Amino acid sequence: MPDALTANLEAVRRTTARSAERAGRDPAAITLVAVTKTVAVAPIRDAIGLGLKTFGENRVQEAMPKIEAIGTGDASWHLIGHLQTNKVKFIEGRFAMVQSIDRLDLVEALDRRLGSPLDVLIEVNVAEEPQKTGALPADLPAIADAAHAARHLRLRGLMTIAPAVSDAELVRPVFQRLRTLRDENSQRLGAPLPVLSMGMTEDYPIAVEEGATMLRLGRALFGPR
Ligand SMILES: *Cc1c(COP(=O)(O)O)cnc(C)c1O
């Protein structure tokens, strides 16, 4: 096994456990999604050898040959990047979760196309950054209602990408806001939305303190891209 990945994974687990402890949370309730965009098949196999099971890819086209090579038995694949409507046909049988539902027409296109239920998260552009993907908070209720009602979608929670800032502490309110939005929508729908996918390499210790149940880590595991 490559030493760097082993050491990185240990460091991530230690940091996650410390943050969870500070917040009185159980680190076992936090799923690590290893983000493998630009990462080749061999290091992904190494990661599987080290016990990682969930992998995040942000482009369908890049993910397909990797999923083909590695399969869906030892690895579970999450789409974490923007999904174009014309790529919806590639989701079933490959991805266990789409974390990046960001508009009504995507809910409709997926629901029409799928033959069996798919776990989804709605991506929210909490900070309302103009060039960012994700639903605006004002549009979230309508998308959540549609996803909750869709026959072939199982709405599991929310995802966000926090703004890039020099001091990770500045993103804490973004994570708090995502959690509040989750609570509000869960209550309105009368359905549990257990998943909060938030926290990347630069900010995951704070995301854990604020209730993240899924971390999406690329560089913290595989090094710089
Ligand atoms: C690339 C990416 C990540 C991982 O980013 P790192 O900073 O390498 O941890 C997480 N989420 C999304 C949506 C990404 O595109």
Side-chain angles (χ1 to χ4, degrees):
M1 277 309 139
D3 295 340
L5 182 56
T6 305
N8 289 348
L9 180 58
E10 270 170 23
V12 161
R13 290 202 165 127
R14 252 195 327 272
T15 301
T16 303
R18 265 202 302 269
S19 285
E21 196 180 328
R22 269 198 299 278
R25 302 187 56 210
D26 177 5
I30 300 167
T31 301
L32 177 53
V33 180
V35 175
T36 47
K37 64 188 181 206
T38 77
V39 176
V41 165
I44 301 176
R45 290 198 202 281
D46 293 338
I48 293 170
L50 291 172
L52 288 170
K53 295 183 175 70
T54 312
F55 297 90
E57 285 279 340
N58 69 340
R59 295 180 56 235
V60 171
Q61 225 68 323
E62 181 186 340
M64 291 211 314
K66 298 183 194 177
I67 299 173
E68 182 80 9
I70 293 168
T72 57
D74 295 334
S76 154
W77 301 88
H78 290 196
L79 186 69
I80 60 173
H82 182 71
L83 176 57
Q84 292 171 266
T85 309
N86 64 2
K87 302 268 164 59
V88 157
K89 58 177 178 277
F90 299 123
I91 298 298
E92 187 154 30
R94 294 186 173 88
F95 291 94
M97 178 181 269
V98 172
Q99 297 201 6
S100 45
I101 301 294
D102 59 357
R103 56 195 195 279
L104 272 177
D105 76 327
L106 182 58
V107 170
E108 287 155 13
L110 267 171
D111 194 35
R112 250 196 324 270
R113 183 79 202 191
L114 293 168
S116 55
L118 174 74
D119 285 342
V120 297
L121 306 180
I122 299 174
E123 178 184 349
V124 187
N125 181 358
V126 172
E128 308 200 22
E129 294 175 278
Q131 45 334 17
K132 265 258 180 76
T133 55
L136 292 173
D139 298 332
L140 175 59
I143 301 170
D145 289 355
H148 180 64
R151 251 188 86 188
H152 298 118
L153 301 186
R154 281 192 300 235
L155 179 60
R156 306 279 294 143
L158 304 180
M159 180 271 245
T160 197
I161 302 172
V165 289
S166 51
D167 176 4
E169 193 56 46
L170 296 172
V171 300
R172 191 182 292 278
V174 170
F175 297 144
Q176 291 170 338
R177 180 84 181 117
L178 191 74
R179 182 175 174 165
T180 302
L181 289 169
R182 187 276 306 271
D183 293 346
E184 289 169 2
N185 280 276
S186 170
Q187 190 159 44
R188 198 191 63 257
L189 293 170
L193 299 176
V195 180
L196 281 177
S197 175
M198 55 189 199
M200 302 165 45
T201 293
E202 304 291 348
D203 54 27
Y204 74 95
I206 292 172
V208 168
E209 289 177 13
E210 296 304 331
T213 67
M214 247 180 219
L215 308 176
R216 308 180 312 272
L217 301 183
R219 290 167 301 148
L221 294 171
F222 299 104
R225 281 187 291 274

